[in-house]
Amino acid sequence: MPQDLTRDLQDLIERGRDRQLRLAVTGLSRAGKTAFLTSLVDQLRHAGLEARLDLLGAAREQRLLGAQRVAQQDLGVPRFPYDQAMQALGSDPPSWPTPTRGISELRLKIRYRRAHANWWRGNTAELTLDLFDYPGEWLLDLPLLDHDFASWSRTQCEGNGPARRALFADWHAAIAELDPASEVDEARLAELAEHYAEGLRAAREAGFSDLQPGRFLLPGDLAGAPVLQFFPLPGLDDWSAEALAALPDTSLYATLARRFAYYQQRIVRPFYRDHFRRFDRQIVLVDVLGALNAGPERFEDLSRALSRLMQSFDYGQRSLLSRLFTPRIDRLAIAATKADHVTPEQHVRLVALLEALLVEPLKDLRFANVPVKALSLASVRATEVREVTQHGRTTPALLGTDLNGESVLTFPGEVPTRLPDADFWARQGFDFTAFRPLPREPGPLPHIRMDAALDWLIGDKLT
């Protein structure tokens, strides 16, 4: 029997026995997916030794024996760069791992002792955990599947604040006189598409999240291809659907609409079909603090991007048959990352803000009876907790090293427990500092609540 067929058959058997789990680690750009995956693997590899995983039941009960990396199923997908990430965290000075620029995966074999052993099952068992990482930029393409070109153009041209519009000023000026019915000029179209891509890149650097199309930011081998040479057209509300449909194939509108449809069907849909529909469980990482620090326009932009993204995933309970043939995400975690960048008493407030940010998607998930948990965590700690006493008053503080190498002792401020209003933005003193990771010491990476995340995502499979 061919080797790949044997492997597929073995995976099918393992899924039928519920001994294989596919976990998607998703989130928008700069949410910390690479650090999370690195820490997850590191914690499990140290399990049974010195890892501190008290909130993971199997570890607390001393049943978790450890984990090993094994050959992944899909040899055509790059392996997650765990070793390179650990090297960056252990360098002098330590640095954050380089974000992944494409799809990657990693397979772990986890060994544990059963909570209730019996003679026909034995005392020990194994769980195969497949981990998947995807660029945050690509995730935002999933909502495109709900649009045609005209409706997508409206979403991209409406509701943008002044800071975002300023970043696209050159592009807006260049397209101001475009006529959808005009004969397309391929060279000019490519130039305008590049202007639009430049605006997207500038918006990403400025801290915006709701950026489409995502492949414009990480084009990979599609760089320079006509499929990435389109952009939204403003003013389409002045045209009826019939009038737009009647435009010749050589018109600007028809050309852009054709490329948008190609992008949907040949780039986005296969990405969703071949990858996201295979997942069993998912954790969505959110950089709430970064958006809060950036101001109201970027915070609202994050809220809009998350709402669109959450609507794109396929959630629902899994039966035995669906687990084998049409898996759907049956358990979800939503995590506010970088919890170590605020003082410990602010962690509860950070979770409350995350839940407020995602209130509508959470309602839909709970209505669909999908188990979902919101939490805050720090995949790799970057600060130590301190107290500062001044004039007889003690204040919590954080001690860390900023990205410029300066030692910083700070109290970032109070995190709001609900969506910030105009009054908060007018008076807020929140000052989020970006820190380097703590210097590496022997043993597992220091973290905050990685064990809680692991318990929610895989704990029920380690019984």
Side-chain angles (χ1 to χ4, degrees), residues 269-325:
R269 192 172 294 281
F271 175 61
Y272 175 77
R273 181 190 64 233
D274 296 342
H275 299 288
F276 275 86
R277 294 189 67 185
R278 300 169 55 208
F279 299 151
D280 302 314
R281 295 190 175 175
Q282 179 184 23
I283 181 166
V284 179
L285 306 177
V286 185
D287 182 11
V288 178
L289 295 175
L292 188 66
N293 199 58
E297 189 175 332
R298 290 162 182 81
F299 192 87
E300 175 60 31
D301 183 80
L302 173 65
S303 177
R304 184 169 56 247
L306 285 172
S307 294
R308 290 176 178 172
L309 185 60
M310 296 294 289
Q311 292 170 3
S312 301
F313 296 123
D314 191 12
Y315 297 109
Q317 296 293 324
R318 293 186 305 144
S319 66
L320 174 61
L321 289 177
S322 68
R323 183 167 65 245
L324 286 169
F325 301 111

Side-chain angles (χ1 to χ4, degrees), residues 102-365:
I103 299 170
S104 65
E105 67 176 87
L106 187 145
R107 171 170 280 195
L108 291 178
K109 189 77 74 173
I110 303 171
R111 294 199 75 210
Y112 63 96
R113 283 191 290 268
R114 299 184 190 275
H116 304 287
N118 50 52
W119 65 269
W120 67 86
R121 293 197 309 171
N123 185 44
T124 61
E126 292 184 347
L127 174 70
T128 299
L129 180 63
D130 288 312
L131 301 165
F132 299 87
D133 177 35
Y134 299 85
E137 291 85 350
W138 292 6
L139 296 179
L140 285 170
D141 281 341
L142 295 181
L144 292 181
L145 297 176
D146 294 328
H147 290 282
D148 59 20
F149 177 67
S151 66
W152 175 72
S153 291
R154 294 186 192 99
T155 67
Q156 299 304 300
C157 296
E158 297 173 356
N160 293 324
R164 178 164 173 146
R165 285 198 298 270
L167 297 171
F168 287 85
D170 290 344
W171 177 74
H172 280 293
I175 67 168
E177 302 301 324
L178 284 182
D179 179 2
S182 63
E183 186 83 6
V184 69
D185 180 336
E186 291 282 355
R188 180 60 174 158
L189 189 153
E191 182 182 331
L192 293 172
E194 179 56 29
H195 275 308
Y196 186 70
E198 288 171 357
L200 289 174
R201 290 191 288 267
R204 179 180 58 182
E205 291 304 310
F208 287 93
S209 303
D210 191 13
L211 306 172
Q212 296 174 344
R215 294 291 179 119
F216 282 38
L217 295 164
L218 287 176
D221 56 4
L222 296 176
V227 68
L228 297 191
Q229 292 175 351
F230 67 91
F231 46 84
L233 271 180
L236 294 182
D237 286 340
D238 298 333
W239 292 70
S240 68
E242 293 77 11
L244 289 172
L247 292 175
D249 289 346
T250 56
S251 67
L252 175 64
Y253 171 82
T255 302
L256 292 175
R258 188 164 54 249
R259 292 185 180 182
F260 175 82
Y262 187 97
Y263 185 84
Q264 279 182 310
Q265 300 305 318
R266 300 297 184 91
I267 306 299
V268 181
R269 192 172 294 281
F271 175 61
Y272 175 77
R273 181 190 64 233
D274 296 342
H275 299 288
F276 275 86
R277 294 189 67 185
R278 300 169 55 208
F279 299 151
D280 302 314
R281 295 190 175 175
Q282 179 184 23
I283 181 166
V284 179
L285 306 177
V286 185
D287 182 11
V288 178
L289 295 175
L292 188 66
N293 199 58
E297 189 175 332
R298 290 162 182 81
F299 192 87
E300 175 60 31
D301 183 80
L302 173 65
S303 177
R304 184 169 56 247
L306 285 172
S307 294
R308 290 176 178 172
L309 185 60
M310 296 294 289
Q311 292 170 3
S312 301
F313 296 123
D314 191 12
Y315 297 109
Q317 296 293 324
R318 293 186 305 144
S319 66
L320 174 61
L321 289 177
S322 68
R323 183 167 65 245
L324 286 169
F325 301 111
T326 56
R328 300 174 69 190
I329 295 165
D330 70 347
R331 181 168 290 202
L332 172 68
I334 304 174
T337 57
K338 307 175 186 177
D340 59 331
H341 285 51
V342 291
T343 49
E345 82 285 352
Q346 297 295 311
H347 293 179
V348 173
R349 301 174 69 91
L350 182 56
V351 174
L353 180 58
L354 176 66
E355 291 180 327
L357 191 64
L358 289 165
V359 62
E360 292 304 322
L362 287 174
K363 286 179 183 177
D364 294 338
L365 287 164

Side-chain angles (χ1 to χ4, degrees), residues 24-38:
V25 179
T26 57
L28 303 182
S29 181
R30 300 178 180 176
K33 296 187 302 300
T34 304
F36 177 87
L37 271 165
T38 303

